[in-house]
Structures are given as structure tokens and as C-alpha cells.
């Protein structure tokens, strides 16, 4: 799965799960503010990532993640690490 496919898949479930307009999801937009995330929403986000990509996220993974672009990069890196470790 290339980066564009990863981003497309992420945007698809974010729009459905968090009921946000696709136009609001821009690489430099703030992830937390755009999705209006609270602590329970982060749990939903983690579950969605695990079910869609088969990678686990923990709280420390979100340190420094502010934009959608940094979130995409996180998921891409987790997928690469999973391939290496499998």
C-alpha cells in the first residue's frame, strides 16, 4: 500500500466515523480541532486504525501529532515497521 492509498483510506473512515466534511481534512489542518476529538474519540480513532490497517497505536504515538500530515506519516511508519517485523 503506497502513501496515497493510505491517505485515501484514512480520509474515508475519518469522514464516516467523525462526520466531518472531506474538504476540512487538509494536510496542514489540525487533527484534533478538525475532528473535534475528545479522549473517547481518540479511542475510536485508535480502534479504527487497528481495524483498517492492523497496526496498534498507543498514547505516546500521538505526542507531536498535530496535523493530518503528521498523522498520515505516523500510520505509514507503523505500516512499514509492521512489514519489517512480520
Amino acid at each position: 500500500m503506497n502513501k496515497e492509498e493510505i491517505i485515501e483510506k484514512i480520509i474515508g473512515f475519518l469522514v464516516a466515523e467523525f462526520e466531518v466534511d472531506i474538504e476540512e481534512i487538509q494536510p496542514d489542518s489540525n487533527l484534533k480541532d478538525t475532528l473535534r476529538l475528545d479522549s473517547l474519540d481518540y479511542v475510536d480513532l485508535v480502534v479504527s486504525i487497528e481495524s483498517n490497517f492492523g497496526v496498534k497505536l498507543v498514547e505516546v504515538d500521538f505526542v507531536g501529532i498535530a496535523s493530518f500530515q503528521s498523522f498520515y506519516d505516523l500510520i505509514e511508519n507503523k505500516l512499514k515497521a509492521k512489514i519489517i517485523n512480520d
Side-chain angles (χ1 to χ4, degrees):
M1 182 177 294
N2 67 37
K3 187 160 191 159
E4 290 172 0
E5 292 170 328
I6 294 168
I7 292 169
E8 186 176 305
K9 190 170 185 176
I10 291 171
I11 290 173
F13 75 74
L14 290 178
V15 168
E17 180 75 28
F18 294 97
E19 300 176 356
V20 63
D21 290 329
I22 196 167
E23 295 82 25
E24 293 182 63
I25 300 176
Q26 299 297 318
D28 293 333
S29 296
N30 184 283
L31 179 78
K32 182 179 179 182
D33 294 343
T34 302
L35 300 179
R36 297 174 282 289
L37 297 177
D38 61 23
S39 58
L40 292 177
D41 292 325
Y42 273 107
V43 173
D44 291 339
L45 182 59
V46 167
V47 169
S48 292
I49 291 297
E50 289 179 10
S51 65
N52 281 283
F53 295 100
V55 296
K56 295 197 180 289
L57 297 177
V58 293
E59 187 175 341
V60 71
D61 290 328
F62 287 95
V63 173
I65 302 298
S67 69
F68 284 94
Q69 186 61 57
S70 59
F71 185 65
Y72 303 149
D73 294 342
L74 168 66
I75 303 308
E76 180 184 30
N77 290 333
K78 287 282 189 174
L79 286 169
K80 285 179 183 176
K82 181 181 180 209
I83 291 169
I84 291 169
N85 293 324
D86 281 348

